[in-house]
């Protein structure tokens, strides 16, 4: 777990692996927070290709804004 910053955005990032009967999954959760709100964004990948689509999650992190 770590705290990251992209421009004005500050968020908590949590990464973990879950093992289910259907297979293993690698999770990346972003928790954006302000004094009034919390927004959660999740990315799920397989261990074989855990980075698949993670670039889209990074774009969200860079562009997200509380109004």
């Amino acid at each position: 777990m770590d705290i990251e910053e992209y421009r004005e955005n500050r968020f908590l990032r949590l990464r973990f692996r879950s093992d289910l009967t259907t297979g293993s999954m690698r999770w990346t959760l972003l928790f954006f927070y302000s004094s009034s709100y919390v927004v959660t964004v999740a990315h799920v990948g397989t261990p074989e290709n855990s980075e698949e689509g993670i670039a889209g999650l990074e774009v969200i992190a860079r562009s997200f804004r509380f109004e």
Side-chain angles (χ1 to χ4, degrees):
M1 182 178 344
D2 43 82
I3 295 175
E4 295 286 330
E5 289 188 25
Y6 283 116
R7 298 182 188 175
E8 298 87 36
N9 294 329
R10 186 177 212 184
F11 62 92
L12 177 68
R13 179 174 37 208
L14 175 64
R15 292 181 175 167
F16 62 94
R17 179 179 165 160
S18 64
D19 294 314
L20 305 170
T21 57
T22 56
S24 295
M25 304 299 271
R26 293 216 180 258
W27 292 77
T28 301
L29 302 174
L30 303 182
F31 298 93
F32 296 92
Y33 55 93
S34 73
S35 59
S36 303
Y37 302 100
V38 174
V39 175
T40 305
V41 181
H43 172 270
V44 181
T46 61
E48 298 80 27
N49 197 0
S50 61
E51 297 299 310
E52 177 69 27
I54 198 80
L57 188 66
E58 298 293 325
V59 169
I60 291 170
R62 282 191 223 87
S63 63
F64 184 81
R65 300 283 184 273
F66 282 110
E67 292 293 325

